[in-house]
């Protein structure tokens, strides 16, 4: 797939970001990007990288730069003007089989996990996959389903403005923590997310509300407030997931 791509961009001292427009309708602010094979590697503000199949990125545009706060602006190579397209629109989506993960996949315990070709776009197949992984790790299937439904609505290529990725919306650090090689591979993503949920449930002695709060806001926030932190986003998140479990 031929894509017009600028070289790797280095963030400047004056706040300047690019905006990536994704095929699923989301946009993502990034500070740099590069092309590696069929993947576009994008750096998100605050650290971490996101790797997306090039077909999932429609375009990347330069946003206007903010003036530096103090001192002289850092020297940098010539940059495209604000609004200029850095990545050309991607061609029509490839057939599902072109984007599906390689199969079969083998879990750490030796069990082969198979996801039919093209099932990366099929919510029913993904739900079956999630249930199978949940059972293997001893985590409630309805909890795993509810988290995926609220986090991504079973969009394997979902990316949040903060850089959370895939079905279970793993942040780059969480993905690295659980050795997730490809956050957009449903098997890898759900494996990492379920293992994280299992760890949190163990940490909070089976208290689902606290585990969900930590999944959303982080363990440090739960420890700091000795319970669900008083963040509106987190409080709503816990309520939404619990409501989904009861359906």
């Amino acid at each position: 797939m031929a894509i017009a791509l600028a070289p790797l961009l280095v963030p400047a001292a004056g706040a300047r970001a690019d905006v990536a427009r994704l095929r699923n309708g989301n946009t993502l602010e990034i500070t740099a990007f590069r092309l590696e094979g069929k993947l576009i590697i994008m750096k998100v503000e605050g650290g971490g990288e996101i790797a997306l199949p090039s077909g999932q990125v429609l375009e990347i545009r330069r946003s206007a730069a903010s003036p530096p706060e103090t001192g002289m602006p850092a020297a940098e190579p010539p940059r495209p003007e604000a609004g200029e397209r850095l990545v050309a629109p991607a061609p029509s989506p490839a057939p599902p089989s072109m984007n599906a993960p390689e199969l079969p996949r083998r879990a750490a315990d030796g069990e082969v996990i198979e996801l039919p070709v093209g099932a990366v776009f099929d919510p029913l197949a993904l739900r079956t996959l999630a249930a199978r992984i949940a059972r293997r790790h001893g985590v409630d299937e309805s909890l795993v389903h509810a988290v995926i439904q609220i986090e991504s609505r079973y969009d394997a290529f979902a990316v949040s403005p903060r850089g959370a990725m895939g079905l279970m919306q793993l942040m780059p650090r969480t993905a690295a923590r659980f050795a997730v090689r490809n956050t957009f591979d449903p098997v890898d993503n759900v494996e990492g997310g379920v293992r994280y949920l299992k760890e949190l449930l163990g940490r909070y002695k089976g208290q689902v509300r606290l585990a969900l709060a930590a999944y959303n806001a982080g363990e440090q926030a739960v420890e700091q407030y000795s319970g669900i932190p008083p963040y509106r986003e987190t409080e709503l998140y816990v309520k939404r997931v619990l409501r989904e479990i009861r359906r």
Side-chain angles (χ1 to χ4, degrees), residues 15-22 26-33 42-50 52 59-64 66 159-164:
R16 183 194 287 263
D18 303 324
V19 178
R21 186 164 66 89
L22 309 182
N26 293 338
T27 58
L28 182 67
E29 289 191 358
I30 61 176
T31 58
F33 66 92
M42 298 176 287
K43 290 188 176 182
V44 296
E45 189 174 358
E49 293 185 339
I50 293 175
L52 274 176
E59 64 180 4
I60 296 177
R61 286 184 179 272
R62 166 71 63 232
S63 64
S66 300
V159 179
S160 80
R162 295 180 182 177

Side-chain angles (χ1 to χ4, degrees), residues 21-27 50-53 55-58 93 99 101 115 118-127 129-130 144-161 163-170 182-190 215:
R21 186 164 66 89
L22 309 182
R23 189 173 295 281
N24 62 9
N26 293 338
T27 58
I50 293 175
L52 274 176
Q56 297 300 318
V57 181
L58 294 178
N99 292 315
L115 187 63
V120 68
F121 299 106
D122 182 352
L124 180 58
L126 293 173
R127 182 165 181 164
L129 168 73
V144 173
H145 160 70
V147 169
I148 296 176
Q149 181 65 26
I150 298 304
E151 290 283 0
S152 69
R153 296 184 182 275
Y154 282 93
D155 180 357
F157 296 106
V159 179
S160 80
M165 299 170 281
L167 290 171
M168 299 194 73
Q169 290 291 276
L170 303 180
N182 181 357
T183 49
F184 297 103
D185 179 329
V187 176
D188 275 0
N189 189 284
V190 177
Y215 194 94

Side-chain angles (χ1 to χ4, degrees), residues 33-110:
F33 66 92
R34 66 184 184 275
L35 183 65
E36 291 186 2
K38 295 182 179 180
L39 297 178
I40 293 181
I41 314 297
M42 298 176 287
K43 290 188 176 182
V44 296
E45 189 174 358
E49 293 185 339
I50 293 175
L52 274 176
S54 56
Q56 297 300 318
V57 181
L58 294 178
E59 64 180 4
I60 296 177
R61 286 184 179 272
R62 166 71 63 232
S63 64
S66 300
E69 296 181 0
T70 57
M72 297 295 292
E76 58 174 327
R79 305 291 293 272
E81 296 299 325
E84 182 173 349
R85 181 180 295 158
L86 301 180
V87 178
S92 300
S97 60
M98 297 295 291
N99 292 315
E102 296 181 2
L103 302 173
R105 301 292 307 283
R106 187 173 296 276
D109 59 6

